[in-house]
Amino acid sequence: DPKDAIRQGIAGGEVTFKRYEEGRMQEHSMHNIRLKLTEDDAADWAIFGNYSNLLEGLRRCRDEYGVTRLTCNFYNLPKDSTARRDWLQGFGEEVIARL
């Protein structure tokens, strides 16, 4: 369910953002990261869907915004470790390798 993934993304973001704020990790050379997420504007801060959707979103980040490095957080991965590994391998083959 996309709404569940968005809620999980917000919860995960809040944990990460707390670490950024507490550790003063926003470096001057970095793009100023966003430290507040909402469900209403999820399309502005998340890329979600199948491998094709992810590839399209990451290409857009690269081509339109000049992103050369990023950190990914994945939500709603399969619970089974074999299925999770298969999904991540597919991500590498279908998305990363094509960038």
Side-chain angles (χ1 to χ4, degrees), residues 13-70:
E14 288 173 351
V15 170
T16 300
F17 299 161
K18 182 177 180 181
R19 279 190 233 129
Y20 263 78
E21 289 171 346
E22 289 174 351
R24 292 188 212 97
M25 295 167 58
Q26 180 70 46
E27 299 175 17
H28 296 291
S29 63
M30 292 172 55
H31 176 73
N32 193 20
I33 64 169
R34 176 183 181 157
L35 297 177
K36 181 69 177 156
L37 307 174
T38 69
E39 285 186 49
D40 295 332
D41 60 356
D44 292 343
W45 57 264
I47 302 169
F48 43 90
N50 59 30
Y51 293 137
S52 294
N53 300 129
L54 300 174
L55 178 59
E56 179 185 332
L58 290 173
R59 279 184 176 154
R60 187 176 60 251
C61 290
R62 180 194 64 198
D63 298 343
E64 292 180 25
Y65 304 110
V67 172
T68 59
R69 293 185 178 102
L70 62 98

Side-chain angles (χ1 to χ4, degrees), residues 51 55 86-99:
Y51 293 137
L55 178 59
D86 291 346
W87 189 92
L88 290 169
Q89 181 171 342
F91 178 77
E93 293 169 356
E94 299 294 325
V95 179
I96 300 300
R98 294 181 178 186
L99 285 172

